[in-house]
Amino acid sequence: PMFRRFFNMPDDDTHNNGGGESQERMEHSLGSGIVISADGYILTNNHVVENASKVHVTFAGEREYEAEIIGTDPPTDVALIKIDAENLPFLKISDSDKLRVGDQVMAIGNPFGVGQTVTLGIVSAMGRAIGMMAYEDFIQTDASINPGNSGGALVNMSGELVGINTAIMSRSGGSQGIGFAIPSHMAQRVMDQLIEFGEVKRAWLGVITAEVDQTMAEALGMKEPRGVLMSEVNSDTPAEKAGLREGDIVLKVDGKDVNSISQLRNKISLAG
């Protein structure tokens, strides 16, 4: 199976013309985006705007704007762009942590450049990590996601934003019912920092961690495996200064359960 993000940028902007000389070539590609403020802020995927010299935003009715890239965050594949506009309709951002497996969702985007399209599905799983980016906490959905959908909205049945459509798992290159979206709680944290700083400033602990399995849980007198073990706490780090010690198990961050290393890393990195 192949993970696809459906936005092919060239490795470089030249090609060989057969005569041994390089000739510059203009590449055009399509992606989707989400208007999240009346004054023109738009969320999308980093891989949609990465390496782009110009970004144009086209709305229904063929209104077109040139966009400014406010900031990008490759480790989460989130980007924020802005157009010079006012009084735009925009999506309300909902708390993706309230989603449950089985909830209905809709994927909105511009697949294959045919125009705005809506597909319906359910939340298949939460908290997926598929090894594409450094920080992952994907919503998995069976709503159809195809080329051109990258950066588009995943919304709940109230029309509120719960995720950014990012990738699918496919053997054929087309939708096979396994799509992935960046949850809105992660995208909003990234967006807030991009607006304030133009980049994401990440917190860190300074520890080596291990997930708690059944054997470890039994040895520690726990009823079931949960949390993340601090197998080593480095000296002169935020973790040591906060009182974490080797052998401690972190069960919650900001009052929310953490049961995997990726969950802990995601929550700590965007803390603040």
Side-chain angles (χ1 to χ4, degrees):
M2 299 176 65
F3 293 114
R4 295 174 180 261
R5 287 189 281 185
F6 286 142
F7 195 90
N8 297 319
M9 295 297 293
D11 292 332
D12 54 47
D13 59 0
T14 62
H15 72 284
N16 194 287
N17 63 10
E21 296 180 0
S22 293
Q23 181 178 346
E24 187 172 338
R25 180 177 64 181
M26 183 70 70
E27 293 282 347
H28 297 275
S29 295
L30 289 174
S32 299
I34 308 151
V35 180
I36 46 84
S37 73
D39 59 349
Y41 280 103
I42 298 172
L43 276 173
T44 187
N45 284 137
N46 171 66
H47 74 265
V48 168
V49 299
E50 191 175 35
N51 300 325
S53 57
K54 289 185 179 180
V55 178
H56 291 272
V57 174
T58 304
F59 288 87
E62 303 303 317
R63 289 179 298 159
E64 186 172 299
Y65 301 84
E66 185 165 340
E68 173 191 1
I69 299 176
I70 300 300
T72 64
D73 186 47
T76 58
D77 199 20
V78 173
L80 183 68
I81 64 176
K82 191 178 187 303
I83 60 174
D84 187 10
E86 297 179 351
N87 301 318
L88 293 174
F90 61 94
L91 276 180
K92 176 183 177 181
I93 301 178
S94 180
D95 184 1
S96 53
D97 283 340
K98 294 180 179 178
L99 281 177
R100 296 293 179 265
V101 173
D103 285 353
Q104 284 192 312
V105 288
M106 294 178 287
I108 304 173
N110 183 16
F112 300 103
V114 300
Q116 181 170 295
T117 302
V118 180
T119 57
L120 178 67
I122 65 168
V123 174
S124 306
M126 298 289 292
R128 289 291 198 218
I130 59 178
M132 287 187 67
M133 279 94 71
Y135 297 93
E136 299 178 336
D137 188 23
F138 287 123
I139 301 164
Q140 182 182 325
T141 179
D142 67 351
S144 182
I145 298 174
N146 286 292
N149 274 115
S150 281
L154 187 73
V155 303
N156 60 23
M157 300 310 289
S158 297
E160 299 166 335
L161 182 69
V162 293
I164 302 175
N165 301 321
T166 299
I168 70 164
M169 187 176 184
S170 174
R171 293 183 184 276
S172 66
S175 176
Q176 291 186 282
I178 305 178
F180 300 97
I182 300 165
S184 60
H185 73 261
M186 176 181 285
Q188 182 155 28
R189 288 287 188 92
V190 171
M191 177 189 73
D192 290 344
Q193 293 210 40
L194 291 178
I195 291 174
E196 185 173 357
F197 306 115
E199 62 180 357
V200 176
K201 298 182 178 183
R202 288 190 161 83
W204 61 289
L205 284 177
V207 297
I208 297 175
T209 57
E211 294 190 5
V212 179
D213 57 19
Q214 184 65 45
T215 301
M216 189 182 299
E218 291 175 357
L220 294 169
M222 300 169 65
K223 294 181 179 179
E224 59 184 9
R226 62 194 186 102
V228 177
L229 174 71
M230 304 293 103
S231 58
E232 184 177 330
V233 177
N234 296 322
S235 59
D236 196 26
T237 61
E240 183 187 54
K241 293 174 183 177
L244 283 175
R245 298 292 180 263
E246 182 178 328
D248 286 349
I249 295 178
V250 174
L251 301 175
K252 293 177 182 287
V253 175
D254 287 340
K256 296 181 180 179
D257 293 343
V258 289
N259 291 309
S260 69
I261 294 171
S262 63
Q263 283 183 339
L264 177 65
R265 184 172 62 244
N266 290 339
K267 290 181 183 298
I268 293 298
S269 69
L270 294 175

